[in-house]
Amino acid sequence: MDFGVVLQTNPPAARTVQLARLAEAHGFSHVWTFDSHLLWQEPYVIHSAILAETKRVTVGPFVTNPATRDWTVTASVFATLNEMYGNRTICGIGRGDSAVRVTNGKPVTMAELRESIHVIRELANSRPVEYKGATLQFPWSRGSQLDVWVAAYGPLALKLTGEVGDGFILQLADVDIAAWMIKTVKDAAAAAGRDPESLAFCVAAPMYIGDDRAHMRDQCRWFGGMVGNHVADIVAKYGEHGAVPDALTDYIAGRQGYDYNTHGKADNDHVDFVPDEIVERFCILGTADEHIAKLEQLRELGVTQFAGYLQHDNKEETLRVYGETVIPALQTHVAAKK
């Protein structure tokens, strides 16, 4: 299992770069950042600084979308960063949430998402692609490599991920829900004639090392609100029961709206509807041993990367304990089973 860290690009940008360097020092393989250019600083500028000040980590958005950024520009950014820093980028992409909603926009359609994945991947892999009736290729790009991982919750998005994604991003760490969604993606991949085991499976959730459970839950309750935005769309489309597990949809019954100005923040004041049980199930909280135990369950489901959100007040200590205890334990257990 690989380990990633998910950062917000809050000013000062130097702080984001500092945390990225610290994550690399503690053995994390990936550094991801939010991508909402109005709510936070422009991520791709900061990605360049992170890549310049690190040596190993792979860097990318968690996640970008096809609505607020021209697809060819997105591809050009990745191809340029790869030329500068040696193929150390990755693209997480979804239909669009905070970046589009703060401008009163809407998530893109499945067809648009599918086409954007193809265009971005082909161009950023130094290959030609058909786009708007023209054959396009970056004449300056040679040997660029980019994987595109798709963030999804609903049935159609999960199906699309299995059909065209290089990887699947699931933004919650509930073991039962993860099992259902990973199986759905793998089944879709197999039905499309792909090897399901060739896909990467990334589970992302807040990670908090500590022993004060009430405090940890309050620091991470924002995550249930963020997930609830996507779940609300699913419920609106499919109804309350049947399309996805009830464990994912039941808790949003008390949701009364959402303020994106506090999106992804520990002091989010629109997440009182998220119960303690959901925080515990969706996040990974507690001692190192508790983290290891839950991550082992996720690894057994086929999860190939855990990406931990650090939007809380215990960033450095959480990174330290992961580097010294959690990551080595998962790597040792895997090696012992081979």
Side-chain angles (χ1 to χ4, degrees):
M1 179 184 282
D2 290 331
F3 289 84
V5 63
V6 186
L7 306 173
Q8 279 184 345
T9 53
N10 292 307
R15 170 63 168 159
T16 306
V17 177
Q18 177 192 40
L19 288 170
R21 289 200 309 266
L22 190 59
E24 179 177 72
H26 284 307
F28 287 79
S29 62
H30 288 67
V31 172
W32 304 90
T33 71
F34 284 47
D35 177 12
S36 288
H37 58 287
L38 288 171
L39 297 178
W40 305 292
Q41 291 179 312
E42 171 57 35
Y44 293 120
V45 176
I46 298 174
H47 290 177
S48 190
I50 291 171
L51 289 162
E53 297 196 27
T54 56
K55 296 180 179 179
R56 297 180 293 99
V57 289
T58 298
V59 179
F62 210 85
V63 297
T64 192
N65 72 85
T68 58
R69 299 184 184 275
D70 182 272
W71 309 346
T72 63
V73 174
T74 297
S76 182
V77 168
F78 287 115
T80 301
L81 291 174
N82 282 340
E83 187 278 325
M84 294 172 67
Y85 302 108
N87 288 332
R88 289 170 54 204
T89 66
I90 189 166
C91 179
I93 194 168
R95 294 178 58 214
D97 181 34
S98 58
V100 297
R101 295 184 195 272
V102 294
T103 56
N104 291 324
K106 295 181 179 180
V108 301
T109 66
M110 290 298 168
E112 290 171 319
L113 178 59
R114 183 186 297 269
E115 185 183 1
S116 72
I117 291 168
H118 176 67
V119 170
I120 292 168
R121 182 165 49 205
E122 294 307 292
L123 287 174
N125 279 279
S126 303
R127 297 190 293 257
V129 69
E130 296 296 318
Y131 179 63
K132 293 185 177 180
T135 300
L136 305 179
Q137 185 172 11
F138 298 136
W140 45 266
S141 180
R142 299 288 186 275
S144 177
Q145 296 175 15
L146 181 77
D147 281 353
V148 181
W149 293 7
V150 185
Y153 290 106
L156 292 179
L158 294 170
K159 180 175 181 290
L160 179 149
T161 302
E163 292 171 346
V164 303
D166 296 309
F168 167 45
I169 294 172
L170 172 58
Q171 290 165 297
L172 57 84
D174 182 278
V175 175
D176 294 334
I177 294 172
W180 181 86
M181 291 197 171
I182 289 170
K183 181 180 184 302
T184 301
V185 171
K186 286 187 174 182
D187 288 348
R194 308 179 72 199
D195 177 7
E197 302 306 320
S198 69
L199 276 68
F201 291 89
C202 176
V203 160
M207 56 179 181
Y208 195 120
I209 295 287
D211 54 16
D212 184 340
R213 301 209 76 83
H215 179 73
M216 290 187 293
R217 286 194 294 263
D218 285 345
Q219 284 286 300
C220 298
R221 200 174 305 277
W222 64 267
F223 185 67
M226 185 185 81
V227 173
N229 296 327
H230 301 283
V231 174
D233 287 343
I234 295 170
V235 170
K237 182 177 180 64
Y238 295 101
E240 294 183 358
H241 304 288
V244 297
D246 288 347
L248 178 59
T249 60
D250 284 350
Y251 82 97
I252 69 162
R255 184 176 181 269
Q256 299 294 324
Y258 192 80
D259 181 2
Y260 276 93
N261 289 311
T262 52
H263 184 63
K265 296 182 183 296
D267 59 356
N268 190 317
D269 57 0
H270 283 65
V271 294
D272 290 344
F273 70 93
V274 181
D276 288 348
E277 177 194 4
I278 288 294
V279 180
E280 293 278 357
R281 291 178 65 172
F282 284 14
C283 305
I284 303 185
L285 313 175
T287 65
D289 286 342
E290 289 177 292
H291 284 245
I292 291 166
K294 190 165 186 179
L295 288 167
E296 284 184 329
Q297 288 182 285
L298 291 168
R299 181 174 55 79
E300 290 296 325
L301 296 177
V303 173
T304 59
Q305 181 180 146
F306 170 66
Y309 288 89
L310 273 186
Q311 285 67 57
H312 55 63
D313 61 3
N314 200 32
K315 296 176 177 65
E316 281 85 357
E317 178 67 3
T318 295
L319 288 175
R320 183 190 68 81
V321 174
Y322 261 72
E324 294 181 2
T325 306
V326 178
I327 294 175
L330 267 295
Q331 292 172 340
T332 299
H333 291 184
V334 171
K337 290 187 176 184
K338 289 184 179 179

